[in-house]
Amino acid sequence: MSDSTNTSPEAGTEATATQDTSTPEAQAPQELTIDVLQAELDNLKVKNADLADQFLRAKADTENARRRAEDEIAKARKFALESFAESLLPVADSLEAGLAIKDATPEQIREGAEATLRQLIAALERNKVVAINPAGAKFDPHQHQAISMVPSEQDANTVVAVLQKGYTIAERVLRPALVTVAAPK
């Protein structure tokens, strides 16, 4: 027997495998695989570019929204102050008008001062500035500042006298009321 006729099954497979790669039919699946992979790569590149574009747009939208919010906050502060100042203008006008009267009687001056005070209180209240006048109320350290404790017939820790009104703005203490408090018996 010769070598060509006496081949093992393994030798025949190797020969077939070698022959398969050299035939055009065997190369087509490999080229098809490369073409499929190339198409998939191109598809992924397009998808990646699209996602990168979406990311940049979202980032720009977020930055624009942040800038708009900062602008709106700045405008709100500016116009809040403008509104407050505008509400005080009638008070200034009343004071100027009162000072312009040269021969005013004490009663006229008092009436003008009371009217001006009412205008001022109304302007403050329109802008959520409210007086704290706690006469007779329980002492509250969040809204009152005790200057002294005095003997009194009232219950302990009760406000006996208000030395200076306090004020809140939008329910937040702007200035605590200065008070004297009843001492424990």
Side-chain angles (χ1 to χ4, degrees):
M1 291 193 167
S2 70
D3 283 329
S4 61
T5 57
N6 189 9
T7 59
S8 66
E10 294 170 0
T13 331
E14 287 176 16
T16 308
T18 308
Q19 288 175 354
D20 287 346
T21 57
S22 61
T23 62
E25 295 85 23
Q27 288 178 353
Q30 188 177 14
E31 287 176 13
L32 181 63
T33 305
I34 290 174
D35 291 341
V36 168
L37 290 175
Q38 186 63 41
E40 189 174 334
L41 177 63
D42 292 342
N43 186 23
L44 289 174
K45 284 181 180 180
V46 168
K47 206 177 226 181
N48 184 35
D50 185 45
L51 290 174
D53 183 53
Q54 288 177 11
F55 170 75
L56 289 176
R57 288 177 190 271
K59 185 176 176 183
D61 286 345
T62 302
E63 185 65 26
N64 289 339
R66 185 190 60 76
R67 250 187 266 123
R68 278 192 304 271
E70 287 174 354
D71 289 346
E72 287 175 14
I73 289 170
K75 286 178 184 176
R77 286 183 183 144
K78 175 185 171 188
F79 294 127
L81 183 60
E82 183 178 309
S83 171
F84 184 70
E86 187 176 296
S87 68
L88 291 178
L89 292 178
V91 177
D93 293 341
S94 292
L95 288 171
E96 288 174 352
L99 291 172
I101 300 172
K102 299 292 182 204
D103 298 327
T105 65
E107 293 83 24
Q108 289 174 323
I109 293 173
R110 181 163 185 83
E111 286 177 25
E114 287 173 350
T116 303
L117 179 60
R118 283 192 301 273
Q119 280 182 322
L120 178 61
I121 290 170
L124 290 172
E125 287 176 351
R126 269 194 309 275
N127 289 283
K128 298 181 178 142
V129 178
V130 180
I132 301 172
N133 191 2
K138 256 324 203 186
F139 176 74
D140 179 359
H142 299 291
Q143 292 190 342
H144 313 140
Q145 183 176 350
I147 299 301
S148 64
M149 295 186 89
V150 295
S152 174
E153 295 299 318
Q154 295 181 351
D155 293 337
N157 293 325
T158 301
V159 175
V160 175
V162 178
L163 305 172
Q164 185 181 57
K165 289 182 189 176
Y167 288 90
T168 61
I169 185 165
E171 299 180 15
R172 182 175 169 189
V173 175
L174 185 61
R175 179 179 81 187
L178 298 178
V179 298
T180 57
V181 179
K185 296 178 186 178

